[in-house]
Amino acid sequence: MNIVFIVDSYLPAPAAVGVCVMNVVEAMKSEHDITVLALASTPGMKDVHSIEGEGYRIVYVKTPESVLRARSIERLRSGTSECSKLLGSIGLLSARFWRQLRLVCSENACDPNLVEAYYKALSGLPEAPNVIVPACMPFESVVAASKYKDQIASTNVVPMLFDQFADSSTIYRLHLEKRVKYRANVDVEREALSRAKSIMQITWSDHIADEFPEFSSKLVRIEHPLLINRRAFVQKKHSRDITMVYAGALDRDIRNPAWVIEVLEKALNTEDLKSIVEFYVPSSQKYLCYFKGKNPRFQIKEAVPYSEISTVLGNASCLLSIGNQTIDQKVSKIYEYMGYGLPILHFAARLDDPAVQDIEKYPLGCLIFKTDSLDSNCDKIRIFLEANSDSEIEYETVCDLFPEESPKMIAQIIEGCA
């Protein structure tokens, strides 16, 4: 079967949705002809990149905005002069400005340049795919797949919806702007999803029931396909200290680390727990202010390449997870963490955090609620670390507890849609 996945960031630096798609591709590549359409993350990427010996290929697409952003990030990372880094900063600010200007001036949040880039790549494939699996975000992937379906009726479109679009809390800077353009964005969703054969989703069921009840029969409930045995990729190092690691994005509004750092700093202020706390965060310079004046054992570092992250996480004593301030999506990082079988401290900003039930089910999970007192949270962390910092769970045990998190589950759904 010829299958095309459409995603935002992919190798060599995949974000959360890219990792989900990559895991599903790995589960399917031996039996199917796989192509991945992805947004180029560095300016020097070739348009088509074959993964030799892996059985699939990646087709990279570009837009003017993505090229400016990629070049600016490259200057910031590898610039050898202050002038080069300044140009990188200016370029990045320009990319953000043009994005915000487009959002303000456009009827809806859909980027026509990105839709066209994906559609052009689909149209340029040597043969029509049997199934297209657009992963959201970005929702432009679903729109492009729908547009292609209009031309090639035999191709089935099976969206994999992770993040919200019309209901997103992060696309628009102002809540008023979201409200004003909400109906226009819902119309984009309706038009695109009407072409889908099935709709794989995690948090879209209520939204679809409210806005498109006629699509309810298409819904297939999934979880993040992140549970794979990650110990196989770990190069073990030995340390006597307790090393606590957070790896992922932060956001001042959605995932603010201030209260987490406050709790950890007090909890670890004891000679009994010799610990290091490391945060690996994209655009880490934006969050240095949260670590200023803190104990030097608290370190914030730039996110490491995907090829190195397994060694960083696999050598931790405990993995840190931070829940969102909103409940429109579940933090997927915990399922990636579970693949290491290590203790997980999840900081929930709200009692109805969607990840709470799964952390409670995980034998080495500990929940820290923002609504609880500082002292009780500190005591809870100390007791948990003293009891579990050297503990691990077998991968097979985790799989038995969370079979729905396996990429094979989604592979079976896609195969049934041919």
Side-chain angles (χ1 to χ4, degrees):
M1 187 160 60
N2 187 328
I3 305 171
V4 174
F5 292 85
I6 311 179
V7 70
D8 185 351
S9 59
Y10 202 68
L11 292 171
V17 173
V19 174
C20 288
V21 169
M22 187 166 60
N23 290 345
V24 177
V25 168
E26 289 294 318
M28 302 186 75
K29 66 184 183 181
S30 63
E31 298 182 7
H32 304 283
D33 183 8
I34 304 288
T35 301
V36 178
L37 307 188
L39 198 60
S41 59
T42 58
M45 280 183 166
K46 297 179 180 178
D47 291 342
V48 179
H49 178 64
S50 295
I51 308 296
E52 296 182 9
E54 295 292 340
Y56 73 101
R57 66 174 182 166
I58 307 170
V59 176
Y60 291 108
V61 306
K62 301 170 185 176
T63 68
E65 186 179 305
S66 74
V67 169
L68 175 59
R69 181 177 179 81
R71 286 177 177 168
S72 301
I73 291 174
E74 187 74 12
R75 283 194 175 111
L76 283 172
R77 286 178 178 171
S78 57
T80 55
S81 66
E82 290 301 318
C83 180
S84 178
K85 292 181 179 180
L86 178 61
L87 288 173
S89 297
I90 293 172
L92 203 54
L93 286 171
S94 299
R96 290 171 182 162
F97 171 79
W98 286 114
R99 180 179 185 276
Q100 291 303 320
L101 184 64
R102 172 177 59 77
L103 287 170
V104 169
C105 297
S106 299
E107 180 183 1
N108 56 62
C110 195
D111 181 356
N113 289 327
L114 185 54
V115 172
E116 186 59 28
Y118 283 139
Y119 177 72
K120 184 177 179 181
L122 284 169
S123 301
L125 294 174
E127 60 181 88
N130 301 107
V131 180
I132 301 175
V133 184
C136 170
M137 295 292 274
F139 197 78
E140 285 86 349
S141 66
V142 187
V143 176
S146 170
K147 185 177 178 181
Y148 184 85
K149 170 74 174 176
D150 285 341
Q151 303 300 317
I152 310 294
S154 60
T155 295
N156 288 322
V157 177
V158 186
M160 192 188 307
L161 304 181
F162 295 104
D163 303 319
Q164 297 287 335
F165 180 62
D167 261 342
S168 172
S169 302
T170 57
I171 289 178
Y172 293 109
R173 295 181 68 89
L174 300 176
H175 183 67
L176 177 62
E177 190 177 6
K178 173 185 171 179
R179 289 178 58 190
V180 168
K181 299 186 178 181
Y182 179 78
R183 296 309 327 167
N185 286 323
V186 166
D187 290 342
V188 172
E189 293 176 342
R190 178 182 289 105
E191 181 72 14
L193 295 176
S194 67
R195 272 74 164 180
K197 181 172 183 178
S198 295
I199 302 171
M200 297 183 286
Q201 58 83 33
I202 295 179
T203 61
W204 279 64
S205 56
D206 290 344
H207 177 70
I208 287 178
D210 291 340
E211 300 292 348
F212 328 112
E214 66 274 22
F215 298 160
S216 294
S217 61
K218 297 182 179 184
L219 296 185
V220 180
R221 180 76 169 84
I222 62 170
E223 290 291 348
H224 296 89
L226 289 170
L227 188 54
I228 63 173
N229 189 353
R230 300 186 180 275
R231 291 181 183 174
F233 308 105
V234 177
Q235 297 179 3
K236 275 291 184 183
K237 301 175 183 178
H238 299 285
S239 173
R240 294 182 180 179
D241 293 331
I242 295 175
T243 303
M244 309 175 71
V245 175
Y246 173 85
L250 296 174
D251 186 275
R252 288 182 173 86
D253 298 319
I254 305 300
R255 199 178 300 157
N256 193 308
W259 76 277
V260 176
I261 295 170
E262 179 188 8
V263 174
L264 284 173
E265 188 174 35
K266 183 170 182 180
L268 302 177
N269 187 22
T270 171
E271 289 299 319
D272 296 333
L273 291 173
K274 294 183 178 180
S275 57
I276 299 171
V277 184
E278 298 176 335
F279 284 71
Y280 292 85
V281 181
S283 303
S284 59
Q285 68 277 2
K286 290 166 47 177
Y287 304 99
L288 288 173
C289 56
Y290 294 105
F291 294 81
K292 189 175 181 180
K294 301 299 180 185
N295 190 304
R297 292 183 297 178
F298 283 74
Q299 304 167 13
I300 183 168
K301 304 178 180 181
E302 186 60 30
V304 299
Y306 183 77
S307 58
E308 300 174 20
I309 194 62
S310 290
T311 297
V312 171
L313 295 177
N315 281 284
S317 311
C318 179
L319 300 174
L320 304 176
S321 170
I322 303 176
N324 293 338
Q325 296 279 359
T326 59
I327 57 170
D328 57 354
Q329 66 184 84
K330 187 191 292 188
V331 174
S332 61
K333 181 63 65 174
I334 62 171
Y335 306 106
E336 184 179 350
Y337 283 176
M338 288 176 184
Y340 295 95
L342 295 172
I344 300 174
L345 265 175
H346 181 73
F347 291 81
R350 40 193 301 162
L351 294 173
D352 56 354
D353 184 323
V356 165
Q357 289 185 338
D358 287 343
I359 291 292
E360 287 178 334
K361 188 194 297 187
Y362 185 68
L364 291 180
C366 180
L367 287 164
I368 304 298
F369 288 102
K370 189 176 183 179
T371 52
D372 291 344
S373 71
L374 179 59
D375 288 338
S376 65
N377 278 335
C378 290
D379 290 341
K380 196 173 184 180
I381 290 172
R382 293 186 193 112
I383 293 170
F384 179 73
L385 291 176
E386 288 169 356
N388 298 294
S389 61
D390 292 324
S391 302
E392 293 185 5
I393 306 174
E394 291 298 324
Y395 174 69
E396 291 73 17
T397 302
V398 181
C399 285
D400 290 341
L401 290 169
F402 302 97
E404 66 277 7
E405 310 293 343
S406 170
K408 294 179 181 178
M409 298 291 288
I410 291 180
Q412 291 172 3
I413 295 169
I414 296 170
E415 288 169 343
C417 292

